[in-house]
Amino acid sequence: MTVYKFYAYPKNLRPRVSQVLILPPFRNNGHATQLLQTFYRDFVPMSNVIDIAVEDPSPEFQRIRDLLDCKRCLETPEVMQTITQSNCVNGQIISEKSSAIRFREISRTKLKLNRCQSRRVYEILRLFLLPRTDEYVKSFSDALTKRATAYFQRVRPDAMRGSSLVPKTSGPSSYNPLKKAFDEAADEYFESQLHEEVSTLLKNYQDIVYKLDRFISSLKKQS
């Protein structure tokens, strides 16, 4: 494991995991999880560490990180209170920005989760605490779609709307069929990317929830 200690004003650090190398004969034996746990054990207690990041994580490492961070949150009552107190009211999923912000602040203080990772963990734990019914999964998926739509709209370049590719026309009766074609193609691409992003996120989250269920069951058997 390679870790870089990035400076943060005025006298703080932002450690970043750059790479984790597990040779093929030793994979699928929990070594990456052990390395990450050791890294957390060394850096999280440090008062000058603001948060922890991972540089361009692979899907496999992201799953390990998600699962481990969710377990750490489940073991930290102060963090879980921000979710359990606002997760569900009168059978409806509550998407409260203040709850997510509070979770981000406490998880950053207690567990050193950075902004992006705290959002992922927050959403996974919200799904984990919901009843396992199609209705709730659909509501959760709709909430993911809403958030992903807002994100894609923010980062969507103007070129996708054809503004830099199609000559502009002026006048009240101006009509540019080429620009309309570009706009329609951009809309179709946007919708397909959005659907793919939400489907991938939901599947990844459900995989982590399944592993959390097994983790909780094993703890109950041990007790």
Side-chain angles (χ1 to χ4, degrees):
M1 173 181 283
T2 304
V3 178
Y4 292 97
K5 299 178 182 178
F6 285 88
Y7 166 77
Y9 181 85
K11 296 181 180 180
N12 300 316
L13 295 175
R14 273 198 164 101
R16 181 182 299 176
V17 178
S18 175
Q19 60 184 0
V20 178
L21 176 62
I22 306 295
L23 297 178
F26 306 103
R27 292 176 183 172
N28 300 319
N29 291 311
H31 297 309
T33 300
Q34 291 294 329
L35 283 172
L36 190 56
Q37 286 177 328
T38 302
F39 167 72
Y40 282 150
R41 186 168 60 247
D42 291 342
F43 281 88
V44 169
M46 297 174 63
S47 59
N48 64 331
V49 170
I50 295 179
D51 54 31
I52 293 171
V54 176
E55 183 177 340
D56 192 19
S58 66
E60 293 79 10
F61 187 80
Q62 185 62 55
R63 283 195 292 270
I64 294 172
R65 184 188 183 197
D66 288 342
L67 180 59
L68 184 55
D69 286 344
C70 285
K71 289 180 179 179
R72 295 166 65 217
C73 288
L74 289 172
E75 296 169 351
T76 310
E78 298 92 335
V79 175
M80 292 305 300
Q81 285 177 359
T82 62
I83 303 178
T84 56
Q85 291 176 355
S86 62
N87 194 56
C88 186
V89 176
N90 296 327
Q92 298 294 324
I93 298 176
I94 305 300
S95 178
E96 295 184 356
K97 185 176 181 180
S98 59
S99 174
I101 293 175
R102 182 63 177 160
F103 177 87
R104 184 178 69 209
E105 292 173 348
I106 296 180
S107 63
R108 184 182 185 184
T109 302
K110 297 287 185 179
L111 305 175
K112 310 298 184 181
L113 298 185
N114 67 356
R115 186 187 185 98
C116 293
Q117 182 64 6
S118 68
R119 164 54 67 178
R120 287 182 63 92
V121 173
Y122 177 78
E123 291 176 340
I124 293 171
L125 291 175
R126 288 286 292 269
L127 179 61
F128 172 72
L129 294 174
L130 288 174
R132 308 303 164 79
T133 64
D134 293 340
E135 179 183 359
Y136 280 94
V137 172
K138 176 64 167 57
S139 297
F140 183 83
S141 177
D142 291 343
L144 275 184
T145 301
K146 183 178 180 180
R147 181 179 69 81
T149 300
Y151 172 76
F152 271 83
Q153 291 287 7
R154 288 198 305 269
V155 302
R156 190 177 184 181
D158 291 338
M160 290 184 63
R161 301 296 299 176
S163 59
S164 63
L165 302 176
V166 181
K168 294 182 179 180
T169 58
S170 58
S173 61
S174 61
Y175 173 74
N176 193 327
L178 185 58
K179 183 178 186 304
K180 181 181 179 182
F182 270 104
D183 289 346
E184 291 176 351
D187 289 338
E188 291 179 3
Y189 179 77
F190 173 79
E191 291 295 334
S192 64
Q193 289 292 101
L194 180 64
H195 177 73
E196 181 180 351
E197 174 72 13
V198 172
S199 298
T200 301
L201 269 181
L202 184 59
K203 183 181 183 304
N204 291 341
Y205 288 179
Q206 288 175 325
D207 289 343
I208 300 300
V209 167
Y210 173 74
K211 293 179 180 179
L212 288 175
D213 285 337
R214 295 178 58 185
F215 171 69
I216 297 298
S217 298
S218 64
L219 290 180
K220 291 180 179 179
K221 290 180 180 179
Q222 292 176 4
S223 60

